[in-house]
Amino acid sequence: MTFHKAKKAVIIAEKILTPKILDIIESSGARGYTVVPAGGKGAHHQHYTSERASVVDDFSTVRIEVIVKNKSIAEEIGSKIVEECFNKYSGIVYLEDVEVIRAEKFNGE
Amino acid sequence: MTFHKAKKAVIIAEKILTPKILDIIESSGARGYTVVPAGGKGAHHQHYTSERASVVDDFSTVRIEVIVKNKSIAEEIGSKIVEECFNKYSGIVYLEDVEVIRAEKFNGE
Amino acid sequence: MTFHKAKKAVIIAEKILTPKILDIIESSGARGYTVVPAGGKGAHHQHYTSERASVVDDFSTVRIEVIVKNKSIAEEIGSKIVEECFNKYSGIVYLEDVEVIRAEKFNGE
């Protein structure tokens, strides 16, 4: 099988923001995403999770990842999420290069 | 310490496929793997998780990652999983470049 | 928005090591981290999770990720964790290249 270059955007955010983030992802044309429960500490505002002791067991944060064919779409998703979600709430977005099988399952036209 | 180039394969799949995927990973010679509970939406078939509202709390999906020294082994793992698991079920595989300490802990001969 | 190159360190370790690992991460100057519950199998010692059947549901492992601006800081975090935590316990550290928005949220001076 052939592997094709694609771009992954990862969003770490408070769980309460999930519906808004998924709206942005879906309206970008991305065809799938993965959500994982998380805890942790952010750079600003309050910690993601209120106390250090609860970081491991209190999953009030989500880690969302989405893969798209084109870098520009990944950047657009990332920029919109930062603009619309991370003024009031702590969170980060980062991009990574990946290789996928079955490129037709990812958008990017 | 020295860091060495290696390849990571990430598999997002329905939880029910976990034993079959781990068999493929172990028979490739990989010496370890990590499984994380997930929810999400796939490109085909049904959603990984049945309803949008339950994406965050109903973890019927798994995110499995495995690191091997050689790209060819990562590609073989990915191809086999797509061929043997993703005809009937939704799922994706992608590869990433990583750098590891203690390369002897990862296979690839 | 502009994306900036940064380095991500990912640590897979037994949950009991979390406080020690977070101490190392915080003392490196990193400004945030994300913790995700995990299960899996390690290369040495005992399995992360005691039995294959429980890999998916018994999350006695953690997957911690931290992003810093400089490769040298990521390498220092990784080396310290291996030296101080992975003599007696199973675990791995790997590094990845990422691109971040808002680089001021990540350390690296």
Side-chain angles (χ1 to χ4, degrees):
Chain A
M1 287 187 186
T2 314
F3 286 79
H4 308 266
K5 285 186 188 302
K7 207 82 181 179
K8 178 171 73 163
V10 177
I11 303 103
I12 316 278
E14 296 186 35
K15 192 173 164 180
I16 196 174
L17 291 172
T18 310
K20 195 165 181 181
I21 290 168
L22 297 185
D23 278 344
I24 292 170
I25 288 173
E26 292 188 347
S27 66
S28 78
R31 303 185 57 196
Y33 50 78
T34 303
V35 182
V36 160
K41 189 186 152 184
H44 277 184
H45 309 283
Q46 273 305 81
H47 290 183
Y48 295 138
T49 306
S50 55
E51 291 185 33
R52 170 72 172 276
S54 65
V55 161
V56 179
D57 293 306
D58 177 16
F59 298 109
S60 56
T61 307
V62 288
R63 181 187 184 282
I64 300 171
E65 60 180 51
V66 52
I67 293 175
V68 291
K69 275 191 212 162
N70 290 353
K71 187 184 176 182
S72 61
I73 296 179
E75 288 181 345
E76 185 193 303
I77 290 172
S79 298
K80 267 198 190 162
I81 289 170
V82 169
E83 281 164 17
E84 296 182 24
C85 301
F86 293 163
N87 293 316
K88 283 201 287 184
Y89 293 94
S90 208
I92 62 165
V93 177
Y94 62 85
L95 308 184
E96 288 182 351
D97 292 320
V98 300
E99 294 160 76
V100 296
I101 310 187
R102 299 190 298 173
E104 75 283 0
K105 287 178 75 77
F106 305 92
N107 89 321
E109 34 296 323
Chain B
M1 287 186 187
T2 314
F3 287 78
H4 307 266
K5 284 186 189 303
K7 207 83 181 177
K8 179 170 73 162
V10 178
I11 304 102
I12 316 278
E14 296 185 36
K15 192 174 166 180
I16 196 175
L17 290 172
T18 310
K20 194 165 182 182
I21 291 169
L22 297 184
D23 279 344
I24 293 170
I25 288 173
E26 293 188 346
S27 67
S28 78
R31 301 184 59 196
Y33 51 78
T34 304
V35 181
V36 161
K41 188 186 153 184
H44 277 183
H45 309 281
Q46 273 303 81
H47 290 185
Y48 296 137
T49 306
S50 55
E51 289 187 34
R52 171 72 172 276
S54 65
V55 162
V56 179
D57 294 305
D58 176 17
F59 297 109
S60 57
T61 307
V62 289
R63 182 187 184 280
I64 300 172
E65 61 180 50
V66 52
I67 293 176
V68 291
K69 274 191 212 162
N70 290 353
K71 188 184 176 183
S72 61
I73 296 179
E75 288 181 344
E76 185 194 302
I77 291 172
S79 298
K80 267 197 191 164
I81 290 170
V82 168
E83 281 163 17
E84 297 183 21
C85 301
F86 294 163
N87 292 317
K88 282 202 288 186
Y89 293 94
S90 208
I92 61 165
V93 177
Y94 62 85
L95 308 184
E96 288 183 349
D97 293 321
V98 300
E99 294 160 75
V100 297
I101 311 186
R102 300 190 298 173
E104 75 282 1
K105 287 176 77 75
F106 305 91
N107 89 322
E109 36 295 325
Chain C
M1 288 186 185
T2 314
F3 286 79
H4 307 267
K5 285 186 188 301
K7 207 82 181 178
K8 179 171 73 161
V10 177
I11 303 102
I12 316 279
E14 296 185 35
K15 192 174 166 180
I16 196 175
L17 291 171
T18 310
K20 195 165 182 181
I21 291 169
L22 297 184
D23 279 343
I24 293 170
I25 288 173
E26 292 188 348
S27 67
S28 78
R31 301 185 59 198
Y33 51 78
T34 303
V35 182
V36 160
K41 188 186 153 184
H44 277 183
H45 310 283
Q46 273 304 81
H47 290 185
Y48 295 138
T49 305
S50 55
E51 291 186 34
R52 170 73 172 275
S54 65
V55 161
V56 180
D57 293 305
D58 176 17
F59 297 109
S60 56
T61 307
V62 288
R63 182 187 184 280
I64 300 171
E65 61 180 50
V66 51
I67 293 175
V68 291
K69 275 191 211 161
N70 290 352
K71 187 185 176 182
S72 61
I73 297 178
E75 288 181 344
E76 185 193 303
I77 291 172
S79 298
K80 267 197 190 163
I81 289 169
V82 169
E83 280 164 17
E84 297 182 23
C85 301
F86 294 162
N87 292 316
K88 283 202 287 185
Y89 293 95
S90 208
I92 62 166
V93 177
Y94 62 84
L95 308 184
E96 289 183 349
D97 293 319
V98 300
E99 294 159 76
V100 296
I101 309 187
R102 299 189 299 172
E104 75 282 1
K105 287 177 76 77
F106 305 91
N107 89 321
E109 35 295 323

